[in-house]
């Protein structure tokens, strides 16, 4: 090769190649070189093909990582338990994360129309994505320089609510688009709107417009007025910002916009919208259900013991009197002061009507109605029942004087003794020596046997201190003893549930009470109720409990004033009260069963 030619190859290869004479034989089979434009088109095509394959692969991976679409619609959750009072009114619900399911077919039209009018007015016209809405939102945001409008359709928002994910990731957006198309292909528009209304989160972690309506306006979604529907729809943009409870002014302003849109879109006429606008108002906070929490916690344990494990929503029909429960909670909070307290009320046959296990559930969830404490003199009726069954009467004389058995020598309160007094006087003044002497006469086994007939015998110690209330028992058990007396001597078994059904109304459990057993004779009951009446009369230890309709009662105070009790009855209910400290430390020496507990009882029954 010529050196000059070699140099040309190195320096200017293109010019060298072009300067050579074409080889006719080689050139005969050579194809013309493609043009630059054609090569560019081929390059762009290949690039788009690779990009399309990459995007398709990415979408496929995202799709494969999605949960089952059918599973998404039928999400698993802890079954909700709704508690109903004795009249069938809802008390509260446990584990409820969704309101009652609603549908376009069953709702008043203005409820879903308010949602469509403000969230996606072309919802029934476009597919899974509203292209015009997206373009409009982009233009608005561009001109305003910040995110001021959204273009998501109701179908897209439904997809978001089903996934319940707020992650700002491309993968989540891709999943949203996939699910949006799937929803549109599988369901009609009304069904998608149903899904949206039942899944949207608006208040306190609860989902669905029904839950929001119940919290904000204490009505189910199907009973919302046009004004209320507009206020719920106003929350869809930003639940906290437009809450009628937290930001009523912003909520009402947006609700007016919604009413205007409903007029423009032909859902309502101008006069109807104006009338609704006049009814827009701040929401009223839902009733505080904490006052029922001791009760519902107790009942939930009863539910588990009746039906075991359950995998369906339950409706529990209980014996609670909501009015009495609220009244008791208020009285207890007002009267107890620096101590703790508990109250239980039951009808004579054992139906539990109210239960407050403490002053404030938020502060302490411990239910003191079920706590074992020393009942003190409140246990004494058990001993007197033994004496009455053995022929004594309220007019029988007994001797009140110091008593000792071995090292056990308890004294009367204030160490005062009355000598020979009637059984009625000894009971009314709650002297200690008399029940001890009665036990010595009739035997401690007779006392424990009587306690067993009344339902608490197996929990008591076989010792003389039990006679004066040293063996622990709960307020529930103690109150049950008195219920037997005021139930004409027939056995009583406290109960809180009458029926349990599933969401479809199928009965899972229904109370089937057995016939009561006669525990006390009519004569014994008559004498005992006479003794209990004397306690609340003038001169009795429980006189502060006296009010119209009170049949009688008994005070009780444990050693060093650690526990103070009063159990009494009206025509309808037997009510037990306890006051003390959780750590068993003594209260003020002035706190006895005849003071704060008797006053609490009085305030409860005096209303």
């Amino acid at each position: 090769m010529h050196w000059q030619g070699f140099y040309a190859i190195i320096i200017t290869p293109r010019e060298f190649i072009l300067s050579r004479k074409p080889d006719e034989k080689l050139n005969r089979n050579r194809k013309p070189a493609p043009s630059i434009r054609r090569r560019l088109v081929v390059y762009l095509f290949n690039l788009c093909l690779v990009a399309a394959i990459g995007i398709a692969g990415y979408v496929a991976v995202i799709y494969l990582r999605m949960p089952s679409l059918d599973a998404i619609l039928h999400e698993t959750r802890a079954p909700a338990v709704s508690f109903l009072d004795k009249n069938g009114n809802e008390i509260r619900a446990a584990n409820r994360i969704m309101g009652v399911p609603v549908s376009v077919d069953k709702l008043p039209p203005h409820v879903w129309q308010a949602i469509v009018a403000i969230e996606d007015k072309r919802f029934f016209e476009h597919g899974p994505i509203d292209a015009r809405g997206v373009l409009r939102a982009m233009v608005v945001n561009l001109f305003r320089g910040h995110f001021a409008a959204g273009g998501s359709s109701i179908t897209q928002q439904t997809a978001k609510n089903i996934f319940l994910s707020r992650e700002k990731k491309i993968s989540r957006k891709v999943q949203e688009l996939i699910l949006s198309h799937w929803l549109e292909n599988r369901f009609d528009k009304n069904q998608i709107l149903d899904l949206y209304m039942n899944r949207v989160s608006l208040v306190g972690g609860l989902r669905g417009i029904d839950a929001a309506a119940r919290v904000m306006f204490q009505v189910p979604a199907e009973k919302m007025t046009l004004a209320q529907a507009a206020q719920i729809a106003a929350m869809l943009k930003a639940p906290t910002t437009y809450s009628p409870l937290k930001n009523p002014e912003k909520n009402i302003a947006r609700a007016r916009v919604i009413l205007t849109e409903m007029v423009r879109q032909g859902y309502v006429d101008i006069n109807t919208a104006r009338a609704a606008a006049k009814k827009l108002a701040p929401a009223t906070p839902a009733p505080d259900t904490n006052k029922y929490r001791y009760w519902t916690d107790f009942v939930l344990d009863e539910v588990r013991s009746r039906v075991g494990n359950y995998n369906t929503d339950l409706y529990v029909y209980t014996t609670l009197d909501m009015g009495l429960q609220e009244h008791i909670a208020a009285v207890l909070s007002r009267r107890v002061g620096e101590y703790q307290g508990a109250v239980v009320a039951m009808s004579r046959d054992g139906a539990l009507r109210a239960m407050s296990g403490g002053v404030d559930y938020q502060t302490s969830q411990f239910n003191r109605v079920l706590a074992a404490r020393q009942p003190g003199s409140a246990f004494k009726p058990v001993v007197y029942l033994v004496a009455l069954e053995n022929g004594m009467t309220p007019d029988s004389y007994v001797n009140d004087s110091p008593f000792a058995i071995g090292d056990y020598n308890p004294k009367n309160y204030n160490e005062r003794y009355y000598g020979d007094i009637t059984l009625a006087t000894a009971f009314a003044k709650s002297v200690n020596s008399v029940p001890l002497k009665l036990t010595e006469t009739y035997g401690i086994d007779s006392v424990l046997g009587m306690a067993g007939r009344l339902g608490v015998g197996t929990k008591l110690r076989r010792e003389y201190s039990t006679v004066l209330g040293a063996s622990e028992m709960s307020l529930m058990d103690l109150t049950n003893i008195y219920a037997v007396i005021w139930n004409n001597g027939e056995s009583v078994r406290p109960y809180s549930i009458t029926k349990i059904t599933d969401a479809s109304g199928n009965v899972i459990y229904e109370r089937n009470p057995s016939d009561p057993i006669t525990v006390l004779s009519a004569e014994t009951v008559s004498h005992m109720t006479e003794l209990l009446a004397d306690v609340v009369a003038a001169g009795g230890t429980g006189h502060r409990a006296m009010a119209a309709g009170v049949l009688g009662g008994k005070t009780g105070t444990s050693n060093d004033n650690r526990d103070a009790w009063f159990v009494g009855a009206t025509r309808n209910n037997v009510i037990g009260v306890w006051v003390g400290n959780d750590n068993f430390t003594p209260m003020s020496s002035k706190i006895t069963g005849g003071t704060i507990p008797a006053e609490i009882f009085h305030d409860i029954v005096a209303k």
Side-chain angles (χ1 to χ4, degrees):
M1 180 180 291
H2 195 276
W3 285 106
Q4 185 178 358
F6 179 74
Y7 179 79
I9 292 174
I10 297 175
I11 304 302
T12 56
R14 185 171 183 274
E15 287 78 359
F16 174 78
I17 293 171
L18 292 177
S19 66
R20 294 184 60 195
K21 291 182 179 181
D23 187 323
E24 293 182 2
K25 185 177 181 180
L26 294 175
N27 203 37
R28 191 179 300 129
N29 297 321
R30 182 178 297 171
K31 295 180 180 179
S35 65
I36 295 176
R37 180 180 298 176
R38 183 178 178 185
R39 281 184 289 175
L40 181 61
V41 169
V42 172
Y43 174 77
L44 291 177
F45 174 79
N46 290 334
L47 182 63
C48 291
L49 181 61
V50 171
I53 294 173
I55 293 173
Y58 177 75
V59 172
V61 171
I62 296 299
Y63 180 81
L64 292 174
R65 292 171 61 184
M66 289 177 65
S68 165
L69 297 178
D70 286 318
I72 291 172
L73 293 179
H74 303 90
E75 63 176 349
T76 57
R77 59 175 176 82
V81 181
S82 297
F83 302 94
L84 309 170
D85 73 355
K86 66 185 182 71
N87 297 319
N89 301 312
E90 184 173 301
I91 303 167
R92 64 177 298 272
N95 296 330
R96 177 182 288 171
I97 64 171
M98 300 175 72
V100 175
V102 299
S103 67
V104 171
D105 296 335
K106 296 181 180 179
L107 285 173
H110 59 251
V111 175
W112 62 264
Q113 288 169 352
I115 294 171
V116 172
I118 195 64
E119 289 297 306
D120 190 355
K121 64 183 180 182
R122 297 182 58 253
F123 172 65
F124 293 100
E125 301 170 17
H126 61 67
I129 300 173
D130 182 7
R132 283 168 52 181
V134 172
L135 181 61
R136 182 176 59 252
M138 290 175 61
V139 172
V140 171
N141 295 335
L142 180 63
F143 275 95
R144 296 190 181 182
H146 61 89
F147 186 84
S152 294
S153 66
I154 283 180
T155 304
Q156 288 177 274
Q157 294 182 52
T158 303
K160 291 179 185 177
N161 292 330
I162 289 177
F163 273 111
L164 293 179
S165 172
R166 300 301 177 190
E167 294 179 313
K168 296 185 180 299
K169 292 183 177 180
I170 296 177
S171 60
R172 193 206 59 79
K173 193 67 177 178
V174 172
Q175 288 179 326
E176 176 191 312
L177 294 175
I178 293 172
L179 184 55
S180 296
H181 281 82
W182 181 78
L183 289 171
E184 289 276 350
N185 288 327
R186 175 161 182 175
F187 302 107
D188 62 35
K189 289 289 188 178
N190 283 355
Q191 291 173 321
I192 293 173
L193 189 54
D194 291 349
L195 281 172
Y196 177 70
M197 292 188 295
N198 287 316
R199 296 297 185 92
V200 65
S201 180
L202 293 176
V203 56
L206 300 176
R207 289 152 59 189
I209 63 170
D210 180 78
R214 291 174 188 271
V215 172
M216 296 298 172
F217 304 115
Q218 292 79 61
V219 297
E222 62 185 17
K223 293 185 178 180
M224 278 197 291
T225 64
L226 175 57
Q228 292 170 340
Q231 289 188 261
I232 292 297
M235 298 174 65
L236 295 170
K237 183 175 183 180
T240 302
T241 302
Y242 293 96
S243 167
L245 194 61
K246 298 180 179 179
N247 295 297
E249 293 181 0
K250 289 185 177 181
N251 175 269
I252 291 172
R254 184 161 176 79
R256 291 181 185 277
V257 172
I258 293 172
L259 292 172
T260 301
E261 284 298 317
M262 293 180 74
V263 173
R264 288 177 179 172
Q265 297 172 38
Y267 289 127
V268 297
D269 59 50
I270 186 66
N271 292 328
T272 301
R274 285 174 176 170
K278 293 179 180 179
K279 297 179 181 179
L280 297 174
T284 302
D288 177 17
T289 59
N290 279 323
K291 64 186 68 174
Y292 306 111
R293 289 297 300 275
Y294 291 111
W295 169 257
T296 55
D297 286 357
F298 171 79
V299 173
L300 189 57
D301 287 340
E302 293 289 299
V303 169
R304 294 189 180 108
S305 70
R306 297 287 186 275
V307 303
N309 296 325
Y310 50 90
N311 55 10
T312 180
D313 289 350
L314 299 179
Y315 287 84
V316 183
Y317 294 79
T318 77
T319 57
L320 184 76
D321 183 326
M322 289 179 69
L324 181 59
Q325 175 69 30
E326 292 178 5
H327 179 52
I328 284 176
V331 171
L332 191 62
S333 177
R334 183 178 68 249
R335 276 289 191 175
V336 169
E338 62 184 292
Y339 307 112
Q340 264 295 352
V343 177
V344 65
M346 66 177 71
S347 64
R348 294 185 181 188
D349 72 339
L352 294 168
R353 298 303 185 194
M355 177 186 292
S356 283
V359 176
D360 180 20
Y361 184 88
Q362 289 288 83
T363 302
S364 171
Q365 292 78 52
F366 178 62
N367 191 343
R368 294 157 188 85
V369 169
L370 309 177
R373 307 284 297 223
Q374 292 184 339
S377 296
F379 181 79
K380 289 176 181 176
V382 177
V383 183
Y384 281 80
L385 285 169
V386 173
L388 293 172
E389 277 201 339
N390 280 278
M392 297 188 73
T393 70
D395 295 327
S396 299
Y397 273 88
V398 290
N399 181 262
D400 176 32
S401 58
F403 172 89
I405 181 168
D407 295 331
Y408 185 61
N409 57 346
K411 298 177 175 57
N412 281 347
Y413 188 72
N414 292 332
E415 299 188 24
R416 180 179 178 182
Y417 296 92
Y418 298 93
D420 291 336
I421 54 176
T422 62
L423 198 69
T425 301
F427 189 83
K429 294 185 177 298
S430 197
V431 299
N432 286 336
S433 68
V434 170
L436 289 168
K437 291 179 180 179
L438 292 174
T439 300
E440 187 178 42
T441 299
Y442 300 112
I444 191 167
D445 288 335
S446 296
V447 174
L448 296 178
M450 175 61 72
R453 288 157 58 186
L454 297 171
V456 296
T458 60
K459 303 176 183 179
L460 305 179
R461 295 188 293 274
R462 191 180 183 281
E463 55 189 43
Y464 269 77
S465 62
T466 293
V467 173
L468 300 184
S471 288
E472 295 81 1
M473 65 177 59
S474 69
L475 179 60
M476 177 82 79
D477 289 338
L478 183 65
T479 306
N480 190 66
I481 290 175
Y482 288 79
V484 174
I485 297 169
W486 274 298
N487 194 38
N488 299 317
E490 293 188 334
S491 60
V492 174
R493 185 176 181 180
Y495 66 96
S496 61
I497 300 172
T498 57
K499 182 173 64 174
I500 302 174
T501 70
D502 62 17
S504 300
N506 300 311
V507 177
I508 298 174
Y509 163 82
E510 190 163 18
R511 182 174 180 266
N512 184 23
S514 57
D515 293 333
I517 300 171
T518 300
V519 176
L520 303 171
S521 68
E523 184 179 16
T524 300
V525 169
S526 177
H527 289 326
M528 191 70 241
T529 52
E530 182 181 337
L531 295 180
L532 292 168
D534 288 343
V535 172
V536 298
T541 58
H543 66 275
R544 297 188 188 187
M546 190 58 189
V550 174
L551 302 180
K554 183 68 181 77
T555 60
T557 309
S558 66
N559 289 339
D560 299 321
N561 301 87
R562 287 183 170 84
D563 304 276
W565 313 73
F566 184 87
V567 184
T570 64
R571 183 171 60 88
N572 296 320
N573 295 309
V574 181
I575 302 172
V577 182
W578 169 85
V579 174
N581 290 317
D582 285 340
N583 60 3
F584 292 91
T585 57
M587 297 180 289
S588 164
S589 59
K590 295 182 180 180
I591 304 300
T592 66
T595 57
I596 293 179
E599 292 165 359
I600 290 173
F601 177 89
H602 170 273
D603 289 358
I604 290 171
V605 303
K607 182 178 179 180

